Amino acid sequence: MEVTKLEHACQVVTADDARLVLDPGGFTRPVDVTGVVAVVVTHAHPDHVTPEQVRGILDRNPDAVVLGPAGVADALGAAGIPVDVVTDGDHRTIGPFALDFHGTRHNVIHASVPVVDNTGVLVDGRLFHPGDAYTVPGVPVEVLAAPVGAPWLKVGEMMDWIAAVAPRRAFPVHEATLSEVGLGMHVDRQREALGEGELVVLRPGETLAL
């Protein structure tokens, strides 16, 4: 199994000839892949999902299913895209992928900004993508997709969360809001928080074997 990081929060997980797309949003190039069995969306913010992205994936992969919390179902349902609603504690097996879902709410951005549904996904008990939340799944995590920059993110809280999850490896995601200088600073803090763990910095299009 391997994960390919695309721009911002989007990732493509590949096992054999099957693919799983995570959070194909508006900050990501059109996701032009085949063999997709499922699209998992952690929450409905447009940097994580757009109907155009999902529809493009489904046009190429008509048998793929879309999964996400209730807020995602509401947003995509308005565009005529059905969603299998998942929340904390749910499990799905789709193709070769075992999916376990953790968390219910997006991190607070500001008191004036509504808090939306957010449910992270643990793929095959190995790769955890939290969406926009400091969810600690409470099970061992081999590889963590770790948000590195966001309106809701505080560096100290990010470091505490990474230390609490304690993955063996991590790679930064959710970087589009940062300058090159800011990204470098935040990546250094992620590396510190990992302790003896390994931080792998992936550029869009690069792949990590799991």
Side-chain angles (χ1 to χ4, degrees), residues 54-75:
V54 175
R55 196 174 300 283
I57 294 168
L58 295 179
D59 285 346
R60 299 178 185 90
N61 304 272
D63 295 328
V65 298
V66 182
L67 304 95
V72 171
D74 291 341

Side-chain angles (χ1 to χ4, degrees), residues 41-44 67-74 83-87 104 117-119:
V41 179
T42 60
H43 64 284
L67 304 95
V72 171
D74 291 341
V83 174
D84 179 5
V85 175
V86 292
T87 189
T104 60
D117 298 330
N118 183 101
T119 299

Side-chain angles (χ1 to χ4, degrees), residues 55-189:
R55 196 174 300 283
I57 294 168
L58 295 179
D59 285 346
R60 299 178 185 90
N61 304 272
D63 295 328
V65 298
V66 182
L67 304 95
V72 171
D74 291 341
L76 292 182
I81 300 171
V83 174
D84 179 5
V85 175
V86 292
T87 189
D88 185 67
D90 285 345
H91 173 86
R92 300 287 190 274
T93 299
I94 302 175
F97 301 108
L99 308 175
D100 291 285
F101 295 91
H102 297 271
T104 60
R105 304 298 281 171
H106 192 287
N107 264 33
V108 173
I109 297 172
H110 185 264
S112 65
V113 180
V115 177
V116 301
D117 298 330
N118 183 101
T119 299
V121 61
L122 181 66
V123 182
D124 285 353
R126 301 169 72 184
L127 168 68
F128 184 55
H129 174 46
D132 283 4
Y134 292 136
T135 300
V136 178
V139 296
V141 172
E142 180 181 335
V143 179
L144 177 65
V148 69
W152 50 266
L153 187 150
K154 295 180 181 178
V155 170
E157 293 177 354
M158 173 190 74
M159 295 176 71
D160 288 343
W161 169 70
I162 290 172
V165 177
R168 287 177 49 204
R169 292 186 290 171
F171 60 95
V173 299
H174 212 277
E175 76 287 351
T177 61
L178 297 177
S179 69
E180 184 176 350
V181 172
L183 176 60
M185 292 173 60
H186 288 205
V187 164
D188 286 344
R189 301 291 83 78

